[in-house]
């Protein structure tokens, strides 16, 4: 039997076909979990595509439009999942934004508000909504997608993004302590250089800043990675599937870098 057979997972921000959220959803489905994908309403077509892909892996899949800045939408999503499946075993908080200028003096209130509202408050609200169900059923696993920027400052990353990811890790560790005795594990995955749309935007900024091509910016970044390359989103999915599985049953409060050996400091 697959390690996550009959488990029910919610993965936020899972619409984009090439994104980390979709890769996580696929890996969980491959391990046998029924998966609920969420994203913004404007990504409805992408979510439908995700459901088709996941259903093709032999599991039950469902899409729910959720803006994580709206607590009511989060609560309605959780209730809908409970009504349909009767339980929630895994929550993966992947929804996030990367906004703002790397120049700290150019950051706006909107940059800060959006970063904190989505990357921290939305994550906290989803945790708050699922924890009572996990308590009632005797346990569960929460996995928060943070960033290597939550472990140390990285060049060309906006301060509002870095601060929000540090906060996400702090939230993870506090929940791990609070709910360990109730068999609710809470861990964080900290991706490094992963080939996504956000990664492309960072490379474009570096290229423009230094007057080089995007390809040269990628080569420069690869040279800073001990393993020598930027990875596909599936590697993050592998880490999440492990943390959600019984193999990680004694792990909580962990911040797991998935970064090819990169290790930034403050």
């Amino acid at each position: 039997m697959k390690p996550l057979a009959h488990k029910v997972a919610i993965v936020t921000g899972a619409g984009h076909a090439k994104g980390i959220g979709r890769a996580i959803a696929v890996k969980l489905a491959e391990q046998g979990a029924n998966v609920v994908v969420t994203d913004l309403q404007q990504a409805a077509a992408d979510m439908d595509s995700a459901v088709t892909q996941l259903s093709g892996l032999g599991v039950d899949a469902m899409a729910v439009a959720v803006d994580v800045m709206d607590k009511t939408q989060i609560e309605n999503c959780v209730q809908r999942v409970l009504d349909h499946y009767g339980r929630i075993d895994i929550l993966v908080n992947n929804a996030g934004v990367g906004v703002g200028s790397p120049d700290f003096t150019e950051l706006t209130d909107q940059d800060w508000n959006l970063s904190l509202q989505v990357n921290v408050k939305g994550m906290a609200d989803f945790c708050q909504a699922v924890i009572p169900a996990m308590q009632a059923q005797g346990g569960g696993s929460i996995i928060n997608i943070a960033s290597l920027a939550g472990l140390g400052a990285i060049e060309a990353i906006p301060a509002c993004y870095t601060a929000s990811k540090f906060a996400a890790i702090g939230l993870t560790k506090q929940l791990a302590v609070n709910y360990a005795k109730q068999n609710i594990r809470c861990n964080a995955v900290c991706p490094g250089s992963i080939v996504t749309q956000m990664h492309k935007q960072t490379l474009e900024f570096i290229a423009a800043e230094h007057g080089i091509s995007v390809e040269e910016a990628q080569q420069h970044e690869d040279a800073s990675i001990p393993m020598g390359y930027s990875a596909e989103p599936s590697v993050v999915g592998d880490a999440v599937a492990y943390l959600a599985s019984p193999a990680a049953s004694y792990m909580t409060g962990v911040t797991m870098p998935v970064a090819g050996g990169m290790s930034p400091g403050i």
Side-chain angles (χ1 to χ4, degrees), residues 5 11 16 37 57 81 97 114 124 127-128 130 132 139 161-162 168 172 257 261:
V11 183
H16 197 289
V37 296
L57 296 172
V81 175
V97 295
L114 187 60
C127 290
Q128 194 172 56
V130 302
Y161 181 83
T162 299
T172 299

Side-chain angles (χ1 to χ4, degrees), residues 108-220:
T108 66
D109 286 349
Q110 183 179 6
D111 294 331
W112 280 102
N113 292 339
L114 187 60
S115 297
L116 296 173
Q117 187 68 35
V118 175
N119 297 349
V120 186
K121 186 59 163 55
M123 181 180 287
D125 285 345
F126 238 116
C127 290
Q128 194 172 56
V130 302
I131 283 172
M134 291 181 172
Q135 289 173 311
Q137 69 197 27
S141 176
I142 297 171
I143 298 147
N144 295 326
I145 307 304
S147 169
L148 206 60
L151 298 175
I154 300 173
E155 182 184 8
I157 301 296
C160 54
Y161 181 83
T162 299
S164 72
K165 293 302 183 177
F166 265 76
I169 288 174
L171 173 66
T172 299
K173 289 184 173 293
Q174 190 63 55
L175 294 181
V177 169
N178 288 358
Y179 295 103
K181 288 184 171 60
Q182 296 177 59
N183 196 35
I184 298 173
R185 299 183 298 110
C186 190
N187 295 294
V189 173
C190 300
S193 184
I194 307 296
V195 183
T196 63
Q197 182 62 29
M198 192 180 297
H199 174 255
K200 180 183 176 184
Q201 291 170 354
T202 301
L203 290 179
E204 288 171 347
F205 172 83
I206 293 172
E209 185 79 1
H210 296 280
I212 59 178
S213 69
V214 173
E215 291 73 21
E216 288 171 323
Q218 180 67 70
Q219 291 169 6
H220 175 74

Side-chain angles (χ1 to χ4, degrees), residues 17-20 23-24 27 191-196 199 218 229-239 258:
K18 301 295 185 181
I20 287 175
I24 291 168
K27 292 293 183 176
S193 184
I194 307 296
V195 183
T196 63
H199 174 255
Q218 180 67 70
Y229 65 95
S230 297
E232 294 298 318
S234 60
V235 301
V236 181
D238 286 330
V258 180

